[in-house]
mmCIF file of all heavy atoms in Angstrom:
data_model
loop_
_atom_site.group_PDB
_atom_site.id
_atom_site.type_symbol
_atom_site.label_atom_id
_atom_site.label_comp_id
_atom_site.label_asym_id
_atom_site.label_seq_id
_atom_site.Cartn_x
_atom_site.Cartn_y
_atom_site.Cartn_z
ATOM 1 N N PHE A 650 8.087 -40.018 -7.619
ATOM 2 C CA PHE A 650 9.078 -40.808 -8.339
ATOM 3 C C PHE A 650 8.682 -42.287 -8.419
ATOM 4 O O PHE A 650 9.433 -43.188 -8.026
ATOM 5 C CB PHE A 650 10.459 -40.646 -7.696
ATOM 6 C CG PHE A 650 10.999 -39.247 -7.765
ATOM 7 C CD1 PHE A 650 11.037 -38.461 -6.624
ATOM 8 C CD2 PHE A 650 11.441 -38.723 -8.959
ATOM 9 C CE1 PHE A 650 11.526 -37.159 -6.683
ATOM 10 C CE2 PHE A 650 11.942 -37.422 -9.032
ATOM 11 C CZ PHE A 650 11.971 -36.639 -7.887
ATOM 12 N N GLY A 651 7.468 -42.518 -8.924
ATOM 13 C CA GLY A 651 7.030 -43.885 -9.173
ATOM 14 C C GLY A 651 6.339 -44.571 -8.029
ATOM 15 O O GLY A 651 6.081 -45.789 -8.100
ATOM 16 N N SER A 652 5.988 -43.839 -6.967
ATOM 17 C CA SER A 652 5.387 -44.487 -5.803
ATOM 18 C C SER A 652 3.939 -44.901 -6.045
ATOM 19 O O SER A 652 3.418 -45.760 -5.322
ATOM 20 C CB SER A 652 5.456 -43.562 -4.583
ATOM 21 O OG SER A 652 4.668 -42.381 -4.795
ATOM 22 N N ARG A 653 3.268 -44.310 -7.062
ATOM 23 C CA ARG A 653 1.874 -44.660 -7.349
ATOM 24 C C ARG A 653 1.718 -44.815 -8.868
ATOM 25 O O ARG A 653 1.966 -43.866 -9.614
ATOM 26 C CB ARG A 653 0.927 -43.556 -6.854
ATOM 27 C CG ARG A 653 1.030 -43.253 -5.358
ATOM 28 C CD ARG A 653 0.338 -44.300 -4.519
ATOM 29 N NE ARG A 653 -1.082 -44.318 -4.745
ATOM 30 C CZ ARG A 653 -1.971 -43.523 -4.149
ATOM 31 N NH1 ARG A 653 -1.543 -42.583 -3.307
ATOM 32 N NH2 ARG A 653 -3.252 -43.644 -4.397
ATOM 33 N N PRO A 654 1.232 -45.961 -9.337
ATOM 34 C CA PRO A 654 1.111 -46.193 -10.793
ATOM 35 C C PRO A 654 -0.260 -45.789 -11.350
ATOM 36 O O PRO A 654 -0.833 -46.495 -12.191
ATOM 37 C CB PRO A 654 1.330 -47.692 -10.896
ATOM 38 C CG PRO A 654 0.731 -48.246 -9.640
ATOM 39 C CD PRO A 654 0.983 -47.206 -8.569
ATOM 40 N N THR A 655 -0.791 -44.658 -10.913
ATOM 41 C CA THR A 655 -2.104 -44.226 -11.383
ATOM 42 C C THR A 655 -1.975 -43.543 -12.750
ATOM 43 O O THR A 655 -0.892 -43.101 -13.138
ATOM 44 C CB THR A 655 -2.724 -43.236 -10.385
ATOM 45 O OG1 THR A 655 -1.861 -42.111 -10.277
ATOM 46 C CG2 THR A 655 -2.895 -43.874 -9.014
ATOM 47 N N PRO A 656 -3.076 -43.422 -13.486
ATOM 48 C CA PRO A 656 -3.008 -42.773 -14.811
ATOM 49 C C PRO A 656 -2.435 -41.361 -14.742
ATOM 50 O O PRO A 656 -1.646 -40.962 -15.597
ATOM 51 C CB PRO A 656 -4.476 -42.769 -15.266
ATOM 52 C CG PRO A 656 -5.075 -43.954 -14.591
ATOM 53 C CD PRO A 656 -4.412 -44.016 -13.246
ATOM 54 N N SER A 657 -2.826 -40.592 -13.741
ATOM 55 C CA SER A 657 -2.326 -39.223 -13.615
ATOM 56 C C SER A 657 -0.818 -39.209 -13.386
ATOM 57 O O SER A 657 -0.080 -38.429 -14.005
ATOM 58 C CB SER A 657 -3.034 -38.514 -12.460
ATOM 59 O OG SER A 657 -2.462 -37.258 -12.210
ATOM 60 N N ALA A 658 -0.349 -40.089 -12.508
ATOM 61 C CA ALA A 658 1.084 -40.157 -12.228
ATOM 62 C C ALA A 658 1.861 -40.613 -13.455
ATOM 63 O O ALA A 658 2.929 -40.072 -13.778
ATOM 64 C CB ALA A 658 1.334 -41.096 -11.053
ATOM 65 N N LEU A 659 1.338 -41.598 -14.148
ATOM 66 C CA LEU A 659 2.010 -42.087 -15.356
ATOM 67 C C LEU A 659 2.055 -41.003 -16.432
ATOM 68 O O LEU A 659 3.034 -40.892 -17.184
ATOM 69 C CB LEU A 659 1.288 -43.334 -15.878
ATOM 70 C CG LEU A 659 1.360 -44.574 -14.961
ATOM 71 C CD1 LEU A 659 0.469 -45.682 -15.503
ATOM 72 C CD2 LEU A 659 2.802 -45.058 -14.835
ATOM 73 N N LYS A 660 1.009 -40.201 -16.511
ATOM 74 C CA LYS A 660 0.994 -39.102 -17.476
ATOM 75 C C LYS A 660 2.113 -38.107 -17.173
ATOM 76 O O LYS A 660 2.824 -37.652 -18.088
ATOM 77 C CB LYS A 660 -0.365 -38.405 -17.429
ATOM 78 C CG LYS A 660 -0.471 -37.211 -18.366
ATOM 79 C CD LYS A 660 -1.845 -36.554 -18.311
ATOM 80 C CE LYS A 660 -2.077 -35.811 -17.018
ATOM 81 N NZ LYS A 660 -3.317 -34.995 -17.052
ATOM 82 N N MET A 661 2.296 -37.745 -15.918
ATOM 83 C CA MET A 661 3.342 -36.798 -15.564
ATOM 84 C C MET A 661 4.726 -37.397 -15.793
ATOM 85 O O MET A 661 5.656 -36.692 -16.217
ATOM 86 C CB MET A 661 3.185 -36.354 -14.103
ATOM 87 C CG MET A 661 1.871 -35.634 -13.818
ATOM 88 S SD MET A 661 1.592 -34.201 -14.891
ATOM 89 C CE MET A 661 2.645 -32.992 -14.097
ATOM 90 N N ARG A 662 4.857 -38.692 -15.545
ATOM 91 C CA ARG A 662 6.142 -39.358 -15.801
ATOM 92 C C ARG A 662 6.449 -39.348 -17.300
ATOM 93 O O ARG A 662 7.589 -39.109 -17.719
ATOM 94 C CB ARG A 662 6.087 -40.797 -15.280
ATOM 95 C CG ARG A 662 7.454 -41.460 -15.143
ATOM 96 C CD ARG A 662 7.318 -42.858 -14.590
ATOM 97 N NE ARG A 662 6.462 -42.891 -13.387
ATOM 98 C CZ ARG A 662 6.010 -44.019 -12.844
ATOM 99 N NH1 ARG A 662 6.277 -45.192 -13.405
ATOM 100 N NH2 ARG A 662 5.267 -43.975 -11.766
ATOM 101 N N GLU A 663 5.425 -39.588 -18.092
ATOM 102 C CA GLU A 663 5.610 -39.559 -19.552
ATOM 103 C C GLU A 663 5.973 -38.153 -20.026
ATOM 104 O O GLU A 663 6.834 -37.991 -20.909
ATOM 105 C CB GLU A 663 4.333 -40.024 -20.248
ATOM 106 C CG GLU A 663 4.438 -40.071 -21.763
ATOM 107 C CD GLU A 663 3.121 -40.397 -22.447
ATOM 108 O OE1 GLU A 663 2.151 -40.779 -21.735
ATOM 109 O OE2 GLU A 663 3.053 -40.251 -23.683
ATOM 110 N N ALA A 664 5.334 -37.135 -19.445
ATOM 111 C CA ALA A 664 5.645 -35.749 -19.819
ATOM 112 C C ALA A 664 7.104 -35.433 -19.510
ATOM 113 O O ALA A 664 7.791 -34.763 -20.301
ATOM 114 C CB ALA A 664 4.723 -34.788 -19.079
ATOM 115 N N PHE A 665 7.592 -35.909 -18.373
ATOM 116 C CA PHE A 665 9.002 -35.687 -18.034
ATOM 117 C C PHE A 665 9.917 -36.370 -19.040
ATOM 118 O O PHE A 665 10.931 -35.802 -19.459
ATOM 119 C CB PHE A 665 9.299 -36.186 -16.615
ATOM 120 C CG PHE A 665 10.771 -36.249 -16.309
ATOM 121 C CD1 PHE A 665 11.542 -35.092 -16.277
ATOM 122 C CD2 PHE A 665 11.388 -37.470 -16.076
ATOM 123 C CE1 PHE A 665 12.899 -35.159 -16.018
ATOM 124 C CE2 PHE A 665 12.741 -37.536 -15.820
ATOM 125 C CZ PHE A 665 13.505 -36.378 -15.779
ATOM 126 N N GLN A 666 9.544 -37.573 -19.443
ATOM 127 C CA GLN A 666 10.373 -38.298 -20.419
ATOM 128 C C GLN A 666 10.417 -37.545 -21.759
ATOM 129 O O GLN A 666 11.468 -37.464 -22.402
ATOM 130 C CB GLN A 666 9.831 -39.713 -20.620
ATOM 131 C CG GLN A 666 10.759 -40.618 -21.419
ATOM 132 C CD GLN A 666 12.087 -40.823 -20.723
ATOM 133 O OE1 GLN A 666 12.145 -41.181 -19.543
ATOM 134 N NE2 GLN A 666 13.188 -40.561 -21.450
ATOM 135 N N ILE A 667 9.296 -36.968 -22.157
ATOM 136 C CA ILE A 667 9.252 -36.177 -23.398
ATOM 137 C C ILE A 667 10.198 -34.976 -23.280
ATOM 138 O O ILE A 667 10.933 -34.649 -24.221
ATOM 139 C CB ILE A 667 7.812 -35.713 -23.695
ATOM 140 C CG1 ILE A 667 6.929 -36.919 -24.021
ATOM 141 C CG2 ILE A 667 7.783 -34.706 -24.840
ATOM 142 C CD1 ILE A 667 5.442 -36.585 -24.091
ATOM 143 N N LEU A 668 10.170 -34.330 -22.128
ATOM 144 C CA LEU A 668 11.057 -33.194 -21.908
ATOM 145 C C LEU A 668 12.518 -33.612 -21.970
ATOM 146 O O LEU A 668 13.359 -32.927 -22.580
ATOM 147 C CB LEU A 668 10.750 -32.540 -20.546
ATOM 148 C CG LEU A 668 9.427 -31.780 -20.444
ATOM 149 C CD1 LEU A 668 9.108 -31.439 -18.995
ATOM 150 C CD2 LEU A 668 9.473 -30.502 -21.274
ATOM 151 N N GLN A 669 12.831 -34.758 -21.368
ATOM 152 C CA GLN A 669 14.207 -35.260 -21.402
ATOM 153 C C GLN A 669 14.645 -35.561 -22.836
ATOM 154 O O GLN A 669 15.731 -35.172 -23.263
ATOM 155 C CB GLN A 669 14.338 -36.512 -20.545
ATOM 156 C CG GLN A 669 14.901 -36.270 -19.160
ATOM 157 C CD GLN A 669 15.447 -37.552 -18.558
ATOM 158 O OE1 GLN A 669 14.872 -38.636 -18.722
ATOM 159 N NE2 GLN A 669 16.560 -37.442 -17.863
ATOM 160 N N ASP A 670 13.773 -36.226 -23.555
ATOM 161 C CA ASP A 670 14.105 -36.619 -24.933
ATOM 162 C C ASP A 670 14.271 -35.403 -25.843
ATOM 163 O O ASP A 670 15.024 -35.455 -26.826
ATOM 164 C CB ASP A 670 13.009 -37.534 -25.492
ATOM 165 C CG ASP A 670 12.963 -38.884 -24.779
ATOM 166 O OD1 ASP A 670 13.942 -39.216 -24.083
ATOM 167 O OD2 ASP A 670 11.933 -39.568 -24.889
#
Side-chain angles (χ1 to χ4, degrees):
F650 296 107
S652 64
R653 302 283 295 276
T655 60
S657 173
L659 294 173
K660 178 179 71 171
M661 298 305 281
R662 196 178 311 169
E663 182 186 350
F665 168 64
Q666 190 62 51
I667 293 170
L668 289 168
Q669 261 200 321
D670 293 344

